[in-house]
Amino acid sequence: MIKENPIDEAERIQQAVLMREVEEEIQKEKLLNFWKKYRFLIIGGIIGVVAFTCGNEVYRMWYEKTRLSESNRFEQAVILNYTGNPEEAAQIYLDLAQNAHTGYKELALLRLAAIAHEGGDDKNAGIYLKQVIESGESPELKDAARVTYVGYQIDQNSNEALLTFLQPVLSQPANALYASAVELQAALLVKLKKNQEAKQAIQNALNNQFLTPVSKDRLNALSAVIE
């Protein structure tokens, strides 16, 4: 067996080390070129992620602080209203309706509508309610405003348009306001001298699986008084 010359072995090792160093230098050069080419994009992406994360946290903190402040203002107005200071309460509600950034804006508009209705001003009550319907973010508050609007208008302006206005709520059997909408629908039909349609509307609603026992009792009682 021929033994490898120690000098050849040393040269082979030296060449391997040299090749590795060359490969490392090439890799470093590639990384350097890549960084030079895309560094602004990479830095921008990092800054964007950090800014988004920080901005999201700041917004969350601001929203919670704002919501708490508006909640306190709304509670203050409720107390003023029930302690005999409706004018002061109305001013707070009006300020919230104009400047609030959370759901208290819609709640304030609903309270302003109630105050206007109690004062016999159904025109302004309707304006406040339509603001909730047209620009509110909460589907539940929109539905509440829709049902309330029809309830305020039913004695003065019973017509087919109000029936159409109720349809978004009537088309949602699981809606918490569904039974109230059916009651208004039946009342409108009776005023339009469509008693049979009113009774049929109630009967259809009574087949709704989402209806509560209390709502069923109310609808049965309403059906019984319709001739």
Side-chain angles (χ1 to χ4, degrees), residues 8-26:
D8 294 339
E9 175 67 13
E11 289 181 354
R12 186 180 66 78
I13 294 173
Q14 188 176 9
Q15 287 177 355
V17 170
L18 182 61
M19 287 296 296
R20 185 176 299 173
E21 290 177 351
V22 170
E23 288 177 357
E24 289 177 355
E25 287 298 322
I26 293 174

Side-chain angles (χ1 to χ4, degrees), residues 169-200:
V169 184
L170 291 170
S171 64
Q172 303 176 61
N175 194 311
L177 295 170
Y178 175 78
S180 298
V182 172
E183 290 171 337
L184 288 170
Q185 178 191 32
L188 283 166
L189 288 168
V190 168
K191 283 181 170 290
L192 294 170
K193 303 186 185 303
K194 298 180 178 181
N195 291 21
Q196 289 305 311
E197 289 186 35
K199 290 180 72 71
Q200 186 59 53

Side-chain angles (χ1 to χ4, degrees), residues 43-62:
I43 292 172
I46 294 171
I47 292 173
V49 170
V50 172
F52 175 80
T53 303
C54 293
N56 197 42
E57 183 64 19
V58 169
Y59 173 79
R60 187 188 64 78
M61 293 173 62
W62 169 84

Side-chain angles (χ1 to χ4, degrees), residues 132-148:
V132 177
I133 296 166
E134 292 168 3
S135 61
E137 296 183 2
S138 167
E140 292 81 7
L141 293 181
K142 284 187 175 186
D143 289 340
R146 191 176 293 276
V147 170
T148 303

Side-chain angles (χ1 to χ4, degrees), residues 55-73:
N56 197 42
E57 183 64 19
V58 169
Y59 173 79
R60 187 188 64 78
M61 293 173 62
W62 169 84
Y63 183 86
E64 287 300 319
K65 182 179 179 180
T66 301
R67 185 187 62 79
L68 181 60
S69 173
E70 292 175 0
S71 172
N72 291 336
R73 293 275 287 160

Side-chain angles (χ1 to χ4, degrees), residues 4-224:
E4 187 173 356
N5 190 318
I7 298 176
D8 294 339
E9 175 67 13
E11 289 181 354
R12 186 180 66 78
I13 294 173
Q14 188 176 9
Q15 287 177 355
V17 170
L18 182 61
M19 287 296 296
R20 185 176 299 173
E21 290 177 351
V22 170
E23 288 177 357
E24 289 177 355
E25 287 298 322
I26 293 174
Q27 185 65 24
K28 288 179 182 179
E29 186 68 22
K30 286 182 179 180
L31 288 172
L32 182 61
N33 290 336
F34 178 86
W35 172 250
K36 288 180 179 179
K37 185 176 181 180
Y38 295 106
R39 65 184 183 280
F40 295 116
L41 184 62
I42 294 171
I43 292 172
I46 294 171
I47 292 173
V49 170
V50 172
F52 175 80
T53 303
C54 293
N56 197 42
E57 183 64 19
V58 169
Y59 173 79
R60 187 188 64 78
M61 293 173 62
W62 169 84
Y63 183 86
E64 287 300 319
K65 182 179 179 180
T66 301
R67 185 187 62 79
L68 181 60
S69 173
E70 292 175 0
S71 172
N72 291 336
R73 293 275 287 160
F74 187 85
E75 183 180 354
Q76 180 187 4
V78 170
I79 293 172
L80 285 170
N81 190 56
Y82 284 100
T83 54
N85 297 285
E87 293 82 7
E88 292 181 51
Q91 286 302 313
I92 295 176
Y93 288 136
L94 189 60
D95 178 62
L96 286 170
Q98 294 173 344
N99 302 307
H101 299 281
T102 68
Y104 286 99
K105 179 185 183 74
E106 287 76 36
L107 287 173
L109 285 167
L110 289 172
R111 287 301 305 143
L112 285 171
I115 292 171
H117 175 68
E118 290 166 5
D121 186 3
D122 282 336
K123 180 179 179 180
N124 274 321
I127 291 173
Y128 291 134
L129 291 171
K130 283 190 172 181
Q131 286 183 42
V132 177
I133 296 166
E134 292 168 3
S135 61
E137 296 183 2
S138 167
E140 292 81 7
L141 293 181
K142 284 187 175 186
D143 289 340
R146 191 176 293 276
V147 170
T148 303
Y149 179 85
V150 174
Y152 287 173
Q153 296 291 319
I154 196 168
D155 289 331
Q156 303 176 23
N157 188 27
S158 298
N159 55 40
E160 298 285 350
L162 288 178
L163 285 171
T164 302
F165 199 74
L166 274 175
Q167 282 307 309
V169 184
L170 291 170
S171 64
Q172 303 176 61
N175 194 311
L177 295 170
Y178 175 78
S180 298
V182 172
E183 290 171 337
L184 288 170
Q185 178 191 32
L188 283 166
L189 288 168
V190 168
K191 283 181 170 290
L192 294 170
K193 303 186 185 303
K194 298 180 178 181
N195 291 21
Q196 289 305 311
E197 289 186 35
K199 290 180 72 71
Q200 186 59 53
I202 292 173
Q203 188 56 51
N204 292 340
L206 287 170
N207 294 326
N208 176 12
Q209 60 176 325
F210 300 106
L211 217 59
T212 65
V214 173
S215 296
K216 286 183 178 180
D217 289 343
R218 283 187 4 222
L219 288 176
N220 277 317
L222 178 59
S223 180

